[in-house]
Amino acid sequence: MEKEIGYITSLIGDPIRTTILWSLLDNKAYTATELAIHADTSPQNISMHLNKLVQADLLTVERQGRHKYYRFSKPEVAYAIEAIGNLIPNDRHKKIVSNTGNSSIKYCRTCYDHLAGKVGVLLTEALLTHKIIDFDVNTYIVTKSGTRFFAELEVNIEDLKKQRRAFARPCLDWSERKHHLAGSLGAALLDKMLSLDYVRRTKNSRAILLTSKGKQYLYERFKISV
């Protein structure tokens, strides 16, 4: 087991590959050329790094026409990368989060396919406070009132449980250092908030815009003031 963990950490620990994996946290698929620009390296070098990540089953590649697109092979890779951000020493972490250039990312962002940042953490805490979800041994469970809550949002809990991934799990937020909701339930909740125009994606960024409609909903439903 130690060898396998060492193999994975050595792959992730390379600066170029770290940049690749961090760039993919927005849940978009990128070409090798786009990732080379992100990592500030040559096409030949990025190809070598991508091949190693694909061989380790950290990334998957799909061909569309003349282009190959790379993305995470499974959500667990994204969760692991986000969690590693929590290992940054406190003094360096404080400098990062105090940087005003990171304000939109810290406030509200995507973590792969679910909501993160201050808004994501506050929403998860509100779901727990209002007994919509409960925490149980490293996972979240939906309560009876939670089932009604998600039904009102037209989120089908039973269908989500059938997906070949974690249903509702805590994901440690690197900027807040608290948990937000991940898994198929977290992804479905973000999709619903997008469709209701409570939040909006921003171009070329993981930052998510919380609309006035979304702020009103969060306050009226959960007394969240953001």
Side-chain angles (χ1 to χ4, degrees), residues 1-219:
M1 186 65 174
E2 293 87 350
K3 290 183 179 180
E4 285 75 11
I5 293 176
Y7 172 61
I8 294 298
T9 54
S10 67
L11 282 173
I12 295 174
D14 179 272
I16 297 295
R17 293 193 284 271
T18 298
T19 301
I20 292 171
L21 295 167
W22 191 257
S23 299
L24 290 169
L25 275 174
D26 62 4
N27 197 26
K28 295 180 182 178
Y30 287 97
T31 65
T33 300
E34 290 170 328
L35 291 169
I37 294 171
H38 277 290
D40 191 24
T41 190
S42 67
Q44 294 78 12
N45 193 37
I46 204 73
S47 179
M48 179 269 293
H49 288 293
L50 288 170
N51 286 338
K52 287 188 175 183
L53 292 171
V54 170
Q55 289 170 7
D57 196 30
L58 296 179
L59 299 186
T60 185
V61 58
E62 299 175 6
R63 181 181 291 276
Q64 292 186 15
R66 295 182 299 169
H67 299 289
K68 292 181 179 179
Y69 289 88
Y70 296 84
R71 63 168 66 247
F72 289 130
S73 60
K74 46 187 173 290
E76 287 75 15
V77 181
Y79 304 156
I81 299 303
E82 178 86 3
I84 287 173
N86 289 278
L87 300 179
I88 298 172
N90 286 334
D91 56 340
R92 297 180 64 183
H93 179 263
K94 288 178 181 178
K95 290 181 180 179
I96 293 171
V97 297
S98 63
N99 184 344
T100 56
N102 295 324
S103 57
S104 59
I105 290 291
K106 292 181 298 180
Y107 177 66
C108 190
R109 68 177 180 274
T110 56
C111 172
Y112 189 55
D113 59 359
H114 54 271
L115 201 62
K118 180 179 180 180
V119 174
V121 168
L122 286 175
L123 178 55
T124 300
E125 290 176 344
L127 294 174
L128 287 163
T129 299
H130 287 76
K131 303 299 181 182
I132 291 171
I133 60 174
D134 276 333
F135 184 73
D136 181 33
V137 192
N138 296 322
T139 190
Y140 293 124
I141 58 173
V142 177
T143 64
K144 289 184 178 179
S145 60
T147 300
R148 293 192 295 270
F149 168 80
F150 286 109
E152 290 171 2
L153 288 176
E154 297 180 343
V155 173
N156 192 310
I157 298 298
E158 295 307 315
D159 284 350
L160 294 178
K161 289 180 177 179
K162 294 175 183 177
Q163 294 184 14
R164 296 180 63 182
R165 60 178 297 186
F167 167 62
R169 65 182 300 277
C171 182
L172 194 55
D173 195 284
W174 70 262
S175 58
E176 293 293 309
R177 298 210 160 174
K178 297 179 180 179
H179 291 109
H180 56 246
L181 175 64
S184 60
L185 183 61
L189 184 57
L190 174 58
D191 287 343
K192 180 55 62 173
M193 293 179 73
L194 287 165
S195 68
L196 292 173
D197 197 35
Y198 292 163
V199 294
R200 297 174 187 170
R201 298 188 186 276
T202 55
K203 189 176 181 180
N204 299 324
S205 174
R206 290 172 60 197
I208 291 286
L209 173 66
L210 180 63
T211 66
S212 57
K213 185 179 178 182
K215 290 179 180 179
Q216 181 180 358
Y217 171 77
L218 290 179
Y219 182 76

